[in-house]
Amino acid sequence: MILVTGGAGFIGANFVLDWLAQSDEPVVNLDKLTYAGNRENLASLHGDARHHFVHGDIGDSALVVQLLRQHQPRAVINFAAESHVDRSIHGPEDFIQTNVVGTLRLLESVRGYWGGLDAEQKAGFRFLHVSTDEVYGSLSPTDPAFTEDNPFEPNSPYSASKAASDHLVRAWHHTYGLPVLTTNCSNNYGPYHFPEKLIPLMIVNALAGKALPIYGDGQQVRDWLYVKDHCSAIRRVLEGGRVGETYNVGGWNEKPNLEIVHTVCALLDELCPRSDGKPYREQITYVKDRPGHDRRYAIDARKLERELGWRPAETFESGIRKTVQWYLSHEDWVSHVQSGAYRDWVQKQYASESAA
Ligand code: NAD
Ligand code: DAU
């Protein structure tokens, strides 16, 4: 079995759903259920004995040690993090607590468990740390895309905390021999994306007749990857990645924010036209820029292709259409997230359950 942390969030939930759609290997899913954790994302797994959800913190060493002893996973995949750049600017402390201190404690718990395994289990064990391209800093328009050899130049409290966690993971391999793997991925989009991030925010605001806030001039460039492709990359690295290595994951799909928002608006015009017949792009408003806003990210994912044969399956055109359609057909999910009702969802849905 595998232990996944942060598996009620956007990418973690997609990962758990995809994993159990293609394998019967059970998953223990440890999640603190912060505002970003939503058990409704995992509703389709209710009653599925292969999925064991545990409400808890990666920094709770006693709990993590007990889970490792009890379930004896062959791998730990660490998605748990505070993930939103704007929130990190308003309040960095939680980011340090989970992304740095939490990762440290998780590494220490896992090191103790791994040290007690027999030689064969020890050799097969993996700790896979899910990280971001933001650790590399910002590119100018003509710079080559980030490779795994780029120096770390994080610019936000979020990216600084992720960079620190990546360094800890690296050090636990070099110093203690822990068999680690790290992935550094670009911007994801797709189902279950919390509507504080650009793409889902634009979809839900557009449908609600609200403003579509573009930071600064909207010409910041991101490299967008459909979340299911990120999940397939993680599975590939877990099975075949070289221990101690880092792998960049990206969509080969650089686009300025304004173009992304225009694409979302055009899809909504087609799939769910405004009642007044006007285009959604009329709702775009330019707002104050994000402090320290990174201008451009671009990922060179050739190492992952060369070594492990991974390429994204989805094009941006197909992925963004699926994403908009998903939000249009999941009005309940959106309204529960917006009203905060998703936080009571477990109690309501599973009123008869004795454990969370
Ligand atoms: P998210 O914010 O949607 O989900 C994070 C999850 O972690 C939530 O379910 C939350 O409850 C849980 N969590 C937070 N603190 C915890 C703790 N102390 N213990 C246990 N669980 C905790 O984030 P996401 O977008 O799904 O990102 C997942 C991971 O992927 C993060 O590590 C992030 O840095 C990385 N990443 C994200 C992107 C992206 O575009 N979203 C891109 C590259 C890398
Ligand atoms: O690059 C990977 C990273 O991508 C992940 O590590 C982070 O966890 C994830 O949140 C994401 O970070 P970004 O800051 O790039 O994503 P966000 O969706 O917040 O913003 C995308 C771009 O859109 C960014 O340039 C800021 C801009 N933006 C965002 C919002 C929410 C706007 O212009 N308006 C908005 O309202």
Side-chain angles (χ1 to χ4, degrees), residues 72-317:
Q72 301 277 307
R74 70 168 174 102
V76 172
I77 302 158
N78 183 31
F79 293 92
E82 291 292 338
S83 70
H84 188 37
V85 174
D86 294 320
R87 285 182 193 257
S88 83
I89 294 167
H90 291 291
E93 186 117 9
D94 286 348
F95 288 73
I96 304 305
Q97 204 51 48
T98 282
N99 301 0
V100 186
V101 179
T103 303
L104 160 76
R105 292 198 184 141
L106 181 64
L107 282 165
E108 277 296 80
S109 303
V110 170
R111 182 165 76 91
Y113 163 71
W114 172 76
L117 295 176
D118 67 34
E120 196 186 336
Q121 289 171 325
K122 237 178 146 175
F125 182 83
R126 296 289 180 272
F127 179 94
L128 192 152
H129 180 61
V130 180
S131 192
T132 170
D133 59 359
E134 300 202 12
V135 298
Y136 298 122
S138 184
L139 295 168
S140 78
T142 53
D143 283 335
F146 300 127
T147 71
E148 291 79 358
D149 296 327
N150 269 71
F152 279 18
E153 292 176 350
N155 292 319
S156 72
Y158 163 69
S159 53
S161 69
K162 289 297 289 187
S165 69
D166 291 14
H167 285 316
L168 292 173
V169 171
R170 176 189 161 88
W172 260 240
H173 173 63
H174 281 266
T175 305
Y176 304 113
L178 191 70
V180 306
L181 297 156
T182 299
T183 53
N184 292 90
C185 188
S186 62
N187 285 63
N188 287 215
Y189 67 97
Y192 306 111
H193 206 180
F194 198 83
E196 62 181 354
K197 310 279 170 65
L198 181 72
I199 289 178
L201 182 76
M202 295 299 144
I203 298 171
V204 304
N205 274 15
L207 293 171
K210 293 185 182 165
L212 307 180
I214 304 279
Y215 298 165
D217 63 3
Q219 293 308 314
Q220 303 82 6
V221 171
R222 298 289 183 267
D223 171 3
W224 294 94
L225 179 70
Y226 191 61
V227 63
K228 307 234 169 242
D229 279 327
H230 188 187
C231 296
S232 75
I234 291 169
R235 291 196 302 273
R236 194 70 61 86
V237 172
L238 181 65
E239 297 319 323
R242 284 185 294 132
V243 165
E245 292 290 314
T246 65
Y247 292 89
N248 281 355
V249 187
W252 301 104
N253 179 56
E254 281 184 61
K255 289 194 191 299
N257 295 337
L258 195 57
E259 188 180 327
I260 295 288
V261 177
H262 283 165
T263 303
V264 166
C265 288
L267 278 166
L268 287 171
D269 289 340
E270 176 197 328
L271 299 170
C272 186
R274 264 171 56 157
S275 53
D276 62 4
K278 292 187 175 162
Y280 283 101
R281 67 160 69 183
E282 285 194 359
Q283 290 167 229
I284 288 174
T285 28
Y286 290 86
V287 300
K288 197 160 133 301
D289 208 352
R290 172 186 279 173
H293 200 169
D294 284 338
R295 197 67 185 165
R296 173 177 167 240
Y297 305 140
I299 275 279
D300 181 337
R302 279 179 298 179
K303 178 177 174 184
L304 185 50
E305 181 170 10
R306 202 172 51 243
E307 291 191 13
L308 299 170
W310 179 90
R311 289 273 307 178
E314 210 72 55
T315 64
F316 185 69
E317 289 66 32

